[in-house]
Amino acid sequence: MMPTFAWIATYGSRQTTKPRVEVVKFGDGYESRTPIGLNSLPRSWDLTFENRPNSTADAIEDFLKDRGAVEAFNWVPPYGAAGRWVCREWSSTPTSQNTRSVSCVFEEVFEI
């Protein structure tokens, strides 16, 4: 069973979609564009979990460390469809003695 990321990000997180397209350029400025593969619109989310108690920030980081950017996980974004995701990078910033913020990027993956 695939693990599920259940924490809710701070309002204002940003979704980015970068279509995967093959471009062939011809003379006189003409070009042809074709989607690459069946899943050519992968999403990514820049997420922040601001001012969370250290225990919550630890739990978020432990979840990400346990996956190690190798194992995908389920997650439902603030809007849009649920998907499978990996997190290849995250950071943590102390905001007080008892709290810190965690920032990360979730990238949508398509697996067999």
Side-chain angles (χ1 to χ4, degrees):
M1 181 175 203
M2 185 172 293
T4 299
F5 187 89
W7 294 274
I8 297 173
T10 303
Y11 182 76
S13 297
R14 181 180 66 163
Q15 177 192 346
T16 303
T17 303
K18 184 176 179 181
R20 296 179 347 178
V21 177
E22 183 174 340
V23 178
V24 177
K25 296 200 179 245
F26 302 100
D28 295 330
Y30 291 98
E31 67 180 34
S32 173
R33 294 161 306 283
T34 306
I36 298 174
L38 298 174
N39 300 300
S40 62
L41 294 171
R43 302 170 287 172
S44 72
W45 278 88
D46 293 325
L47 302 169
T48 303
F49 302 86
E50 291 182 355
N51 299 317
R52 304 300 166 101
N54 285 332
S55 60
T56 302
D58 287 342
I60 292 169
E61 289 190 273
D62 287 345
F63 181 92
L64 299 175
K65 287 176 191 173
D66 288 347
R67 311 281 92 62
V70 174
E71 180 184 357
F73 52 88
N74 293 315
W75 178 63
V76 179
Y79 63 87
R84 292 182 176 180
W85 308 83
V86 294
C87 181
R88 301 179 205 283
E89 179 179 359
W90 61 91
S91 62
S92 178
T93 306
T95 53
S96 78
Q97 184 175 359
N98 299 316
T99 62
R100 66 182 193 272
S101 296
V102 177
S103 298
C104 54
V105 177
F106 286 5
E107 298 175 29
E108 188 171 25
V109 294
F110 306 98
E111 300 176 325
I112 297 174

